[in-house]
């Protein structure tokens, strides 16, 4: 196969074929983990569904967890192309947070993301090594975008200077994730808006 | 075996034996699910570890999920005997919430609870039916305790009257659970205290 020459020097054709295989492997991996869960997803199953040899997968990834994580990062990167490299900064912190949390609600409710996100998150809950890689490669970079927006709001005088942005962001992300993962109540735009109001202004009565 | 007469009329001895079997089954179920996860826990495995026949388990529970859920509810009820039938109400809402969240931090960091709680939560994330039972039987009753304490605080004028207690409680429970489940950062008393302050007073600057 053309891919065997990948390490040495690629022709345009072999690069195209490699990219096509990579795409097929990612699609197969995400579909499979969404359907049967992490435990029952195998490299053999991914290869069969993608129409490639098992060795093609092992040439690029050491394990099923590695393929799945890359497939998921690729999916998340695709979602981020809609302009999420930074959180919006219109100068109105509450409005910007509502925009971001509403978009997150839509993404979590999108079937394309829901099944693989649940499968990988659940596996990370019980497997500390996979969990740590998921957090390091996917979650913390996302959380850093919130921290950066909150720091800008501090500079603008909209967030109290004594607040730690890395902790404060969990007031937004934590409840949303909790509601989604445990399915306690519907995850809606109205909820996202309510959450922003509560987290920014607190629930205590003011003197 | 004595248990076969359970439905008709029990002697004190058979009741004691049944209780001993039930205890052994719960202990075995929790140990096993913590060690090998939900998928690889079987009724056969629980029976072997508990030293009872498989039929003893099937006489009382229809499925492995049912045994595990009851075992976990029993564990949680044991923890609640330390006085958690209601949240403390000393009149100082912030202090009471710090007490409760610190106790939750201790429980989540306790190895006896950690492994089975992770295993069952992870399974609920990918299995909506089990997840719904977990929420209905265990989580919502716990959350209702928070809602009740926040309603009392509203009556006392400590929480704004326009706040929905069922939504507001997620500001406390959500971030704590998020941090624990995804292992983003250490789950400490200091974090519990910080969270209470942020959620009660918000992070926005005040005019």
């Amino acid at each position: 196969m053309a891919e065997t020459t990948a390490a040495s020097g690629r022709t345009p054709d072999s690069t195209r074929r490699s990219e096509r295989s990579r795409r097929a492997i990612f699609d197969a991996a995400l579909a499979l983990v969404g359907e049967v869960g992490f435990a029952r997803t195998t490299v053999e199953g991914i290869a069969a569904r993608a129409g490639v040899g098992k060795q093609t997968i092992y040439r690029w990834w050491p394990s099923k967890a590695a393929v799945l994580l890359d497939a998921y990062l690729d999916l998340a990167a695709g979602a981020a192309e809609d302009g999420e490299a930074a959180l919006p900064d219109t100068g109105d912190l509450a409005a910007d947070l509502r925009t971001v949390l509403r978009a997150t609600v839509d993404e979590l409710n999108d079937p394309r993301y829901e099944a693989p996100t649940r499968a990988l998150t659940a596996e990370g809950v019980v497997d500390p090594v996979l969990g740590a890689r998921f957090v390091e490669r996917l979650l913390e970079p996302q959380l850093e975008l919130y921290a950066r927006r909150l720091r800008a709001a501090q500079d603008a005088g909209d967030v109290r200077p004594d607040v730690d942005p890395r902790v404060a962001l969990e007031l937004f992300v934590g409840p949303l994730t909790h509601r989604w993962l445990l399915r306690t109540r519907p995850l809606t735009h109205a909820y996202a808006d309510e959450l922003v109001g509560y987290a920014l202004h607190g629930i205590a009565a003011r003197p």
Side-chain angles (χ1 to χ4, degrees), chain A residues 18 20-21 40 67 78 84 88 114 125 144 200:
Chain A
S18 291
R20 222 167 28 230
S21 298
R40 279 182 291 166
V67 196
E84 288 178 65
E114 174 154 24
V125 165
E144 177 53 29
L200 283 182

Side-chain angles (χ1 to χ4, degrees), chain A residues 6-50:
Chain A
S8 43
R10 281 177 171 177
T11 65
D13 264 10
S14 75
T15 302
R16 234 186 334 266
R17 266 196 301 276
S18 291
E19 176 51 30
R20 222 167 28 230
S21 298
R22 204 182 62 99
R23 193 67 274 139
I25 290 165
F26 282 174
D27 289 346
L30 292 173
L32 207 55
V33 78
E35 282 167 24
V36 305
F38 187 90
R40 279 182 291 166
T41 296
T42 60
V43 167
E44 285 77 2
I46 297 170
R49 187 159 184 153

Side-chain angles (χ1 to χ4, degrees), chain A residues 34 75 106-117:
Chain A
L75 180 75
D106 292 342
E107 193 178 306
L108 292 174
N109 286 329
D110 180 338
R112 276 182 309 156
Y113 299 99
E114 174 154 24
T117 309

